[in-house]
């Protein structure tokens, strides 16, 4: 078992190339510390900052490779409701099987076919996709959820929210004024 720690400050092509031909059969561990420089190489600028640890276990077998990716860290993003920036914790994992065939094929997201004679694999694209897909579509500041964040946007949202609560109260009053015969019919439907 071999552990390699790589910091992503150099160009993306070198440190993410794993020359698997020279590796013995069995498991090999690789670690990467990913920051915004990594995402700039992919022209992805959704994060103000990022600090993510990626661990990769490459299991070399006689006819294939199994790669298990895991990541955990934070990305600094703006809140979708208030625009306030915050550190969003993210984590995820992904499995990739590498087989060998006549020609390169990466159409299946869990299976990569490399041509016979290849001696290395670049894992940068897989790490990028795994991290980008682990960020939720809706990003809400934790202060919004627990009520501790104060901002102009939240004040405005709360003002609008009050109006919808009043509308619901009026609807419930109308439901209370329903003819009692309809209530008995509704009860028959729910008694089944």
């Amino acid at each position: 078992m071999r552990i390699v720690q790589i910091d992503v400050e150099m160009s993306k092509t070198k440190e993410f190339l794993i020359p698997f031909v020279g590796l013995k059969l069995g498991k090999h561990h690789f670690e990467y510390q990913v920051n915004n420089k990594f995402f700039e190489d992919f022209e992805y600028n959704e994060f103000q900052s990022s600090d993510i640890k990626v661990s990769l276990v490459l299991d070399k077998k006689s006819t294939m490779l199994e790669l298990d990716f895991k990541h955990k860290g934070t990305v600094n993003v703006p809140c979708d409701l208030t625009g306030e920036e915050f550190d969003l914790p993210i984590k995820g994992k992904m499995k990739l099987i590498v087989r060998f065939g006549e020609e390169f094929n990466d159409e299946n997201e869990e299976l990569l076919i490399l041509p016979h004679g290849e001696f290395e694999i670049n894992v940068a694209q897989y790490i990028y996709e795994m991290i980008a897909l682990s960020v939720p579509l809706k990003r809400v500041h934790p202060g919004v959820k627990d009520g501790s964040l104060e901002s102009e946007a939240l004040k405005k949202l709360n003002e609008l929210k009050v109006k919808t609560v009043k509308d619901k109260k009026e609807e419930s009053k109308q439901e209370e004024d329903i003819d009692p015969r309809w209530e008995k019919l509704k009860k028959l439907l729910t008694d089944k």
Side-chain angles (χ1 to χ4, degrees):
M1 187 171 6
R2 189 179 116 195
I3 296 179
V4 177
Q5 179 139 0
I6 300 173
D7 193 17
V8 184
E9 284 298 323
M10 297 180 240
S11 93
K12 70 176 182 182
T13 54
K14 270 191 175 175
E15 49 287 346
F16 294 100
L17 276 177
I18 299 176
F20 56 82
V21 162
L23 299 175
K24 294 180 183 176
L25 294 180
K27 294 185 179 188
H28 305 274
H29 296 264
F30 300 88
E31 290 184 359
Y32 303 93
Q33 193 64 38
V34 176
N35 56 31
N36 268 23
K37 173 72 176 112
F38 175 79
F39 295 104
E40 287 169 10
D41 289 340
F42 287 95
E43 298 177 8
Y44 186 79
N45 54 7
E46 292 283 317
F47 312 138
Q48 274 59 24
S49 65
S50 56
D51 184 24
I52 305 159
K53 182 179 180 180
V54 178
S55 63
L56 165 62
V57 177
L58 184 148
D59 190 2
K60 184 176 180 183
K61 301 187 177 187
S62 57
T63 60
M64 67 179 187
L65 306 171
E66 288 182 7
L67 292 102
D68 286 316
F69 297 87
K70 287 184 183 177
H71 75 282
K72 186 175 184 177
T74 59
V75 291
N76 188 279
V77 293
C79 173
D80 290 335
L81 297 175
T82 65
E84 298 281 330
E85 293 180 5
F86 70 103
D87 286 335
L88 176 69
I90 59 168
K91 66 179 180 178
K93 58 185 175 179
M94 182 181 82
K95 188 171 190 138
L96 177 68
I97 301 210
V98 180
R99 294 198 179 259
F100 300 94
E102 295 301 314
E103 58 185 39
F104 180 85
N105 184 338
D106 66 348
E107 291 174 5
N108 186 327
E109 62 189 40
E110 295 176 5
L111 175 67
L112 171 65
I113 298 176
L114 292 177
H116 293 290
E118 279 293 320
F119 60 93
E120 61 188 8
I121 181 172
N122 188 340
V123 295
Q125 182 70 34
Y126 300 102
I127 291 173
Y128 163 73
E129 289 175 7
M130 173 183 64
I131 293 171
L133 292 173
S134 72
V135 177
L137 292 176
K138 188 171 184 179
R139 306 167 207 177
V140 181
H141 192 290
V144 172
K145 292 178 184 175
D146 65 17
S148 64
L149 181 69
E150 291 188 25
S151 73
E152 290 300 317
L154 272 180
K155 286 178 187 174
K156 191 67 175 171
L157 284 171
N158 284 333
E159 287 174 19
L160 297 172
K161 185 177 177 182
V162 173
K163 291 178 184 174
T164 60
V165 171
K166 287 179 184 176
D167 292 342
K168 287 182 182 178
K169 285 182 183 177
E170 288 175 15
E171 287 176 9
S172 66
K173 279 187 179 180
Q174 289 174 354
E175 286 179 14
E176 289 174 8
D177 296 339
I178 293 178
D179 187 337
R181 291 173 288 185
W182 287 112
E183 275 301 316
K184 288 187 180 184
L185 285 174
K186 280 186 184 178
K187 189 171 189 216
L188 286 175
L189 287 174
T190 57
D191 284 345
K192 288 183 180 181

